[in-house]
Amino acid sequence: MALEKVITYDYEIRSEFKQIQERQRTAIVEDGVELSFSYHRRVLAPDADVSGESDEVKGMASALWTDEVKAAWAAKQAEDE
């Protein structure tokens, strides 16, 4: 009777600003049978500091957040203020 916590991640890229939506799924498994699970979501915008993130998130940010995308995001933020 061994309990195990299994954490997995999946990602979606949203909007013209290439925001990275991360969904963390935490499952509790006993002897190979899932007993329960929960989700936690968060969104990373092009002005986010990803230096402490996983290599997967860093790679997506590097590929998606071009100077053009960052400038458009900054202009949108200034417009909203």
Side-chain angles (χ1 to χ4, degrees), residues 21-41:
Q21 184 180 73
E22 176 186 77
R23 182 174 72 165
Q24 174 185 312
R25 184 177 194 272
T26 303
I28 304 301
V29 179
E30 179 180 28
D31 297 328
V33 177
E34 184 174 274
L35 301 177
S36 68
F37 68 90
S38 64
Y39 289 110
H40 174 75
R41 290 179 185 268

Side-chain angles (χ1 to χ4, degrees), residues 30-57:
E30 179 180 28
D31 297 328
V33 177
E34 184 174 274
L35 301 177
S36 68
F37 68 90
S38 64
Y39 289 110
H40 174 75
R41 290 179 185 268
R42 69 185 182 130
V43 177
L44 299 166
D47 59 353
D49 176 12
V50 294
S51 61
E53 300 294 336
S54 68
D55 288 341
E56 188 172 18
V57 170

